[in-house]
Amino acid sequence: LRADRFRIAYQPIVCARTGRVESYEALVRMLRPDGTLVPAGEFIPAAEELGLVRDLDRRMLELAAVALKRSPSLKLAVNVSGMSVGDQVWMQAFNTCVAGDRSLTQRLTIEVTETAALHDIDDGVKFVKQLRAEGCRVAIDDFGAGYTSFRNLQMLDLNCVKIDGSFVKGIAQRPDNQAFVRTLVSLAKTFNLEVVAEWVGSKEEATLLRALGVDKLQGAYYGMPEMTPPWERRATSA
């Protein structure tokens, strides 16, 4: 953090109907001193153990705000750990980063895991309400892996749910997962929530998920996370 060695890797999120990229998820990566990349799975557990996850959340928020300011057409989703839900220091950092600029907040989605949002439902409700008031979209990540209930979705007033990738991977060969995803989509649509499926790895999976009513798709089939996104490559070549 002190050496400014965290970066965003951008993974596309596409419209299930058209296949067109509509936004990106900002995934955290760390640079070693020699410039090589460290995947999140190698340092997030250490950050959690050392109590530095809140600092990392704030740094990713800062990087996302810079990216949004630099690219006026960019729409970006940023993950927030459970420790930052209800954390007023994170909210102060958010207010500093966006400075009430709705041209930024309306292009920003804050993703929080289902278990984190529901761990303390009152904190979760307040957190979502504050972000929605600033113009942000809020999504539940890993939808279906936690404590989903009709009442919880009703209380949280979300914009979007992202179906947990474990139910998506290999779904074409798993009738049980197909039935579960169909149920999750039906529950989400009851609240007029957009549904995103993660870990989409093949055309067959994409076609099936589209038929089940999923709105947007994300995964290796549409693009792996990239350190240099397409719009920056175009600017460099120009």
Side-chain angles (χ1 to χ4, degrees):
L1 284 163
R2 289 173 181 165
D4 189 25
R5 288 197 278 114
F6 287 103
R7 297 289 185 272
I8 291 177
Y10 299 85
Q11 185 169 35
I13 301 170
V14 309
C15 173
R17 182 174 53 84
T18 66
R20 184 177 302 148
V21 176
E22 295 200 346
S23 61
Y24 290 82
E25 182 174 357
L27 299 167
V28 62
R29 298 292 185 267
M30 186 172 73
L31 292 175
R32 295 186 179 91
D34 65 3
T36 57
L37 285 174
V38 185
E42 292 187 21
F43 61 82
I44 292 293
E48 291 173 341
E49 187 175 342
L50 294 168
L52 294 172
V53 169
R54 290 187 180 92
D55 301 87
L56 185 55
D57 283 344
R58 291 194 293 272
R59 182 57 184 146
M60 282 298 290
L61 178 64
E62 292 166 358
L63 291 172
V66 169
L68 290 167
K69 290 173 184 176
R70 191 168 60 230
S71 304
S73 63
L74 175 63
K75 294 180 180 178
L76 203 56
V78 178
N79 291 282
V80 172
S81 72
M83 296 186 72
S84 290
V85 175
D87 179 14
Q88 288 308 303
V89 176
W90 186 93
M91 192 57 68
Q92 289 167 10
F94 170 85
N95 290 328
T96 299
C97 286
V98 303
D101 185 350
R102 286 190 172 247
S103 71
L104 295 183
T105 58
Q106 290 175 354
R107 293 183 288 124
L108 179 63
T109 298
I110 301 298
E111 294 186 7
V112 59
T113 63
E114 184 180 4
T115 49
L118 302 179
H119 176 69
D120 187 320
I121 190 65
D122 291 334
D123 280 348
V125 168
K126 182 179 178 182
F127 185 71
V128 172
K129 187 175 182 180
Q130 287 177 297
L131 291 169
R132 292 286 304 268
E134 292 295 329
C136 282
R137 288 165 52 83
V138 184
I140 287 292
D141 201 6
D142 301 336
F143 184 58
Y147 318 115
T148 305
S149 75
F150 191 93
R151 177 165 172 75
N152 288 333
L153 285 180
Q154 189 176 45
M155 291 176 68
L156 284 168
D157 189 25
L158 303 160
N159 301 98
C160 174
V161 294
K162 298 187 75 173
I163 296 174
D164 186 78
S166 64
F167 302 116
V168 173
K169 187 175 182 180
I171 190 171
Q173 290 75 44
R174 294 289 304 274
D176 52 343
N177 280 0
Q178 292 173 31
F180 190 58
V181 168
R182 186 180 293 110
T183 300
L184 291 178
V185 171
S186 177
L187 179 60
K189 295 299 183 181
T190 300
F191 295 96
N192 199 30
L193 299 176
E194 182 179 80
V195 181
V196 180
E198 299 183 288
W199 295 16
V200 181
S202 69
K203 182 178 181 179
E204 187 180 20
E205 290 174 359
T207 300
L208 177 58
L209 290 161
R210 189 184 306 116
L212 290 173
V214 172
D215 300 297
K216 294 182 180 179
L217 306 168
Q218 178 182 355
Y221 179 65
Y222 291 102
M224 296 297 288
E226 294 185 283
M227 302 304 296
T228 305
W231 62 91
E232 290 191 3
R233 291 200 299 272
R234 287 194 294 267
T236 301
S237 62

